[in-house]
Amino acid sequence: MITLLTGTDNFLLMYQKRALESAFLASKPDGEISLFDFSDDPHPRQLRRALEASEEDLFALPKLIFLRQPSLLAEDIQDALLENILSRQTVSWVLIEPGTLKKTDSYTKKLVSLIGLDKIICDTPNEAERSKILERLLSENPNVRFEAPARQLFLMRVGGDTAKLYSEFEKLFLYKQDGSITSEDVEVMLEPTLEDTGFQALDALARGN
Protein backbone atom coordinates (compact mmCIF):
# COMPACT_ATOMS: atom_id res chain seq x y z
CA MET A 1 0.00 0.00 0.00
CA ILE A 2 1.29 3.44 -0.92
CA THR A 3 -0.62 6.48 0.30
CA LEU A 4 0.03 10.16 -0.36
CA LEU A 5 -1.26 12.35 2.45
CA THR A 6 -1.16 15.98 1.37
CA GLY A 7 -2.99 19.28 1.77
CA THR A 8 -3.00 22.71 3.37
CA ASP A 9 -4.80 21.84 6.63
CA ASN A 10 -2.13 20.62 9.07
CA PHE A 11 -4.69 19.54 11.65
CA LEU A 12 -6.50 17.31 9.15
CA LEU A 13 -3.17 15.88 8.01
CA MET A 14 -2.36 14.78 11.56
CA TYR A 15 -5.94 13.59 12.10
CA GLN A 16 -5.72 11.41 8.99
CA LYS A 17 -2.30 10.14 10.07
CA ARG A 18 -3.76 8.97 13.39
CA ALA A 19 -6.70 7.38 11.54
CA LEU A 20 -4.30 5.43 9.31
CA GLU A 21 -2.31 4.30 12.35
CA SER A 22 -5.47 3.12 14.14
CA ALA A 23 -6.74 1.25 11.07
CA PHE A 24 -3.35 -0.43 10.60
CA LEU A 25 -3.11 -1.60 14.22
CA ALA A 26 -6.73 -2.74 14.20
CA SER A 27 -5.99 -5.08 11.28
CA LYS A 28 -2.42 -5.92 12.35
CA PRO A 29 -2.15 -5.72 16.16
CA ASP A 30 1.47 -6.91 16.09
CA GLY A 31 2.48 -4.38 13.44
CA GLU A 32 5.28 -1.84 13.69
CA ILE A 33 4.86 1.90 12.93
CA SER A 34 7.79 4.18 12.07
CA LEU A 35 8.11 7.85 11.13
CA PHE A 36 11.01 9.43 9.28
CA ASP A 37 10.86 13.22 9.03
CA PHE A 38 12.94 14.67 6.23
CA SER A 39 11.89 18.21 7.16
CA ASP A 40 14.15 17.84 10.21
CA ASP A 41 16.90 15.88 8.47
CA PRO A 42 16.89 15.87 4.62
CA HIS A 43 20.08 13.81 4.59
CA PRO A 44 20.72 10.46 2.86
CA ARG A 45 21.34 8.86 6.27
CA GLN A 46 17.67 9.41 7.12
CA LEU A 47 16.73 7.56 3.95
CA ARG A 48 19.06 4.70 4.91
CA ARG A 49 17.29 4.43 8.26
CA ALA A 50 13.91 4.29 6.53
CA LEU A 51 15.06 1.60 4.13
CA GLU A 52 16.60 -0.42 6.96
CA ALA A 53 13.29 -0.22 8.84
CA SER A 54 11.47 -1.50 5.76
CA GLU A 55 13.70 -4.52 5.20
CA GLU A 56 11.73 -7.72 4.69
CA ASP A 57 12.61 -11.14 6.03
CA LEU A 58 10.82 -14.36 6.83
CA PHE A 59 9.89 -13.35 10.39
CA ALA A 60 9.34 -9.62 9.82
CA LEU A 61 6.31 -8.01 11.43
CA PRO A 62 3.81 -6.00 9.34
CA LYS A 63 5.13 -2.47 8.89
CA LEU A 64 3.60 0.96 8.39
CA ILE A 65 6.19 3.60 7.55
CA PHE A 66 5.45 7.32 7.40
CA LEU A 67 7.82 9.51 5.38
CA ARG A 68 7.35 13.22 6.02
CA GLN A 69 8.37 15.58 3.21
CA PRO A 70 10.62 13.35 1.11
CA SER A 71 10.19 16.13 -1.47
CA LEU A 72 13.02 17.93 0.38
CA LEU A 73 15.52 15.25 -0.60
CA ALA A 74 17.86 15.68 -3.56
CA GLU A 75 16.37 14.42 -6.81
CA ASP A 76 18.62 11.37 -7.13
CA ILE A 77 17.77 10.37 -3.56
CA GLN A 78 14.05 10.85 -4.27
CA ASP A 79 14.40 8.47 -7.22
CA ALA A 80 16.13 5.86 -5.04
CA LEU A 81 13.41 6.21 -2.43
CA LEU A 82 10.53 5.76 -4.88
CA GLU A 83 12.29 2.79 -6.46
CA ASN A 84 12.63 1.09 -3.07
CA ILE A 85 9.04 1.86 -2.15
CA LEU A 86 7.86 0.09 -5.29
CA SER A 87 10.09 -2.91 -4.61
CA ARG A 88 8.96 -3.42 -0.99
CA GLN A 89 5.27 -4.00 -1.52
CA THR A 90 4.63 -5.87 1.75
CA VAL A 91 5.33 -2.61 3.59
CA SER A 92 2.58 0.02 3.95
CA TRP A 93 4.01 3.42 3.02
CA VAL A 94 2.50 6.83 3.73
CA LEU A 95 4.18 9.90 2.25
CA ILE A 96 3.17 13.09 4.06
CA GLU A 97 3.54 16.28 2.02
CA PRO A 98 2.04 19.36 3.74
CA GLY A 99 0.92 22.18 1.47
CA THR A 100 0.20 22.02 -2.23
CA LEU A 101 2.40 19.92 -4.47
CA LYS A 102 3.28 21.60 -7.77
CA LYS A 103 1.95 19.51 -10.64
CA THR A 104 4.85 20.59 -12.83
CA ASP A 105 7.47 19.46 -10.30
CA SER A 106 9.39 16.35 -11.42
CA TYR A 107 8.99 14.74 -7.98
CA THR A 108 5.21 15.24 -8.07
CA LYS A 109 5.00 13.72 -11.55
CA LYS A 110 6.95 10.64 -10.44
CA LEU A 111 4.92 10.36 -7.26
CA VAL A 112 1.48 10.48 -8.85
CA SER A 113 2.57 7.98 -11.49
CA LEU A 114 3.21 5.30 -8.87
CA ILE A 115 1.03 2.24 -9.48
CA GLY A 116 -1.54 1.73 -6.74
CA LEU A 117 -1.05 5.15 -5.16
CA ASP A 118 -3.93 6.28 -2.92
CA LYS A 119 -4.29 10.02 -2.38
CA ILE A 120 -5.82 11.66 0.69
CA ILE A 121 -6.23 15.43 0.25
CA CYS A 122 -6.49 17.46 3.45
CA ASP A 123 -7.17 21.00 2.31
CA THR A 124 -8.93 23.50 4.55
CA PRO A 125 -12.61 22.53 4.30
CA ASN A 126 -15.26 24.91 2.96
CA GLU A 127 -18.56 25.50 4.76
CA ALA A 128 -20.27 22.45 3.26
CA GLU A 129 -17.31 20.22 4.13
CA ARG A 130 -17.20 21.54 7.70
CA SER A 131 -20.88 20.70 7.99
CA LYS A 132 -20.10 17.13 6.88
CA ILE A 133 -17.35 16.88 9.50
CA LEU A 134 -19.86 17.97 12.14
CA GLU A 135 -22.35 15.37 10.87
CA ARG A 136 -19.71 12.66 11.25
CA LEU A 137 -18.86 13.77 14.77
CA LEU A 138 -22.55 13.68 15.67
CA SER A 139 -22.93 10.19 14.18
CA GLU A 140 -20.08 9.05 16.44
CA ASN A 141 -21.87 10.57 19.44
CA PRO A 142 -25.55 9.67 18.86
CA ASN A 143 -26.73 10.86 22.28
CA VAL A 144 -26.04 14.47 21.30
CA ARG A 145 -27.75 16.54 18.61
CA PHE A 146 -27.75 20.18 17.58
CA GLU A 147 -30.82 22.34 17.33
CA ALA A 148 -30.76 24.01 13.91
CA PRO A 149 -29.92 27.56 15.15
CA ALA A 150 -27.24 26.15 17.45
CA ARG A 151 -25.67 24.24 14.61
CA GLN A 152 -25.49 27.37 12.45
CA LEU A 153 -24.03 29.41 15.32
CA PHE A 154 -21.47 26.71 16.12
CA LEU A 155 -20.21 26.51 12.54
CA MET A 156 -20.04 30.30 12.34
CA ARG A 157 -18.01 30.54 15.54
CA VAL A 158 -15.48 27.87 14.64
CA GLY A 159 -15.10 29.38 11.15
CA GLY A 160 -12.49 27.80 8.89
CA ASP A 161 -10.37 26.51 11.81
CA THR A 162 -10.61 22.70 11.62
CA ALA A 163 -8.73 22.16 14.88
CA LYS A 164 -11.15 24.51 16.62
CA LEU A 165 -14.13 22.62 15.18
CA TYR A 166 -12.94 19.36 16.73
CA SER A 167 -11.83 20.85 20.05
CA GLU A 168 -14.95 22.96 20.55
CA PHE A 169 -17.20 20.02 19.67
CA GLU A 170 -15.37 17.97 22.31
CA LYS A 171 -15.97 20.75 24.86
CA LEU A 172 -19.66 20.89 23.97
CA PHE A 173 -19.94 17.11 24.15
CA LEU A 174 -18.39 17.06 27.64
CA TYR A 175 -20.64 19.94 28.68
CA LYS A 176 -23.80 18.29 27.39
CA GLN A 177 -23.34 14.55 26.96
CA ASP A 178 -26.98 13.85 26.28
CA GLY A 179 -29.83 15.71 24.58
CA SER A 180 -30.02 18.78 22.37
CA ILE A 181 -27.34 21.43 22.15
CA THR A 182 -28.99 24.84 22.05
CA SER A 183 -27.79 28.24 20.92
CA GLU A 184 -27.48 29.16 24.59
CA ASP A 185 -25.08 26.24 25.09
CA VAL A 186 -22.94 27.44 22.20
CA GLU A 187 -22.98 31.00 23.55
CA VAL A 188 -21.77 29.74 26.93
CA MET A 189 -19.02 27.44 25.63
CA LEU A 190 -17.63 29.28 22.57
CA GLU A 191 -16.11 32.74 22.58
CA PRO A 192 -17.65 35.05 19.97
CA THR A 193 -15.56 35.72 16.88
CA LEU A 194 -14.67 39.20 15.66
CA GLU A 195 -17.36 38.74 13.02
CA ASP A 196 -19.94 38.01 15.75
CA THR A 197 -18.85 41.10 17.67
CA GLY A 198 -19.18 43.20 14.53
CA PHE A 199 -22.69 41.93 13.86
CA GLN A 200 -23.66 42.64 17.47
CA ALA A 201 -22.31 46.19 17.21
CA LEU A 202 -24.30 46.77 13.99
CA ASP A 203 -27.46 45.42 15.63
CA ALA A 204 -26.95 47.75 18.57
CA LEU A 205 -26.50 50.72 16.23
CA ALA A 206 -29.63 49.78 14.33
CA ARG A 207 -31.56 49.71 17.63
CA GLY A 208 -30.10 53.06 18.60
CA ASN A 209 -28.21 51.65 21.60
Side-chain angles (χ1 to χ4, degrees):
M1 179 191 81
I2 309 171
T3 302
L4 170 62
L5 188 55
T6 186
T8 56
D9 193 310
N10 288 325
F11 176 83
L12 281 183
L13 284 172
M14 292 303 99
Y15 184 88
Q16 287 291 348
K17 176 181 176 290
R18 288 196 299 269
L20 290 170
E21 289 172 341
S22 297
F24 175 76
L25 291 176
S27 62
K28 300 175 177 63
D30 59 342
E32 294 179 343
I33 298 176
S34 305
L35 169 66
F36 297 91
D37 192 342
F38 297 104
S39 65
D40 289 336
D41 185 10
H43 192 277
R45 64 173 171 264
Q46 186 78 314
L47 174 59
R48 286 195 296 271
R49 295 186 188 116
L51 296 181
E52 287 169 2
S54 69
E55 287 179 354
E56 302 163 311
D57 58 53
L58 184 61
F59 303 104
L61 296 173
K63 295 174 181 177
L64 171 61
I65 298 180
F66 290 92
L67 304 175
R68 182 177 176 83
Q69 287 190 273
S71 57
L72 297 176
L73 295 167
E75 187 171 351
D76 59 331
I77 301 175
Q78 292 172 359
D79 292 342
L81 170 63
L82 296 179
E83 182 180 337
N84 277 276
I85 285 176
L86 285 173
S87 67
R88 303 183 185 191
Q89 297 186 1
T90 61
V91 177
S92 297
W93 299 91
V94 180
L95 284 68
I96 304 175
E97 293 288 356
T100 303
L101 290 172
K102 294 181 179 178
K103 293 181 180 179
T104 56
D105 187 85
S106 61
Y107 167 75
T108 304
K109 291 178 180 178
K110 295 170 187 175
L111 187 58
V112 298
S113 68
L114 292 177
I115 297 172
L117 178 72
D118 289 326
K119 289 184 283 187
I120 302 176
I121 310 299
C122 299
D123 287 335
T124 302
N126 57 33
E127 185 176 349
E129 291 165 340
R130 291 196 299 274
S131 184
K132 288 181 181 178
I133 292 174
L134 182 57
E135 282 296 330
R136 180 167 53 75
L137 291 173
L138 288 168
S139 70
E140 294 169 358
N141 300 274
N143 292 333
V144 175
R145 56 194 174 277
F146 272 89
E147 292 182 357
R151 176 194 181 93
Q152 184 177 1
L153 179 60
F154 175 81
L155 288 172
M156 183 172 67
R157 291 221 168 161
V158 299
D161 189 334
T162 314
K164 187 175 181 180
L165 189 156
Y166 279 87
S167 63
E168 295 296 348
F169 178 84
E170 182 69 18
K171 282 167 54 177
L172 274 171
F173 176 71
L174 293 173
Y175 174 72
K176 198 154 191 175
Q177 299 182 21
D178 187 52
S180 295
I181 294 174
T182 66
S183 296
E184 288 73 20
D185 296 326
V186 177
E187 292 279 2
V188 168
M189 298 303 295
L190 274 75
E191 291 290 332
T193 63
L194 289 174
E195 186 178 15
D196 289 337
T197 306
F199 283 140
Q200 290 168 2
L202 289 173
D203 286 344
L205 286 171
R207 293 194 302 268
N209 294 337

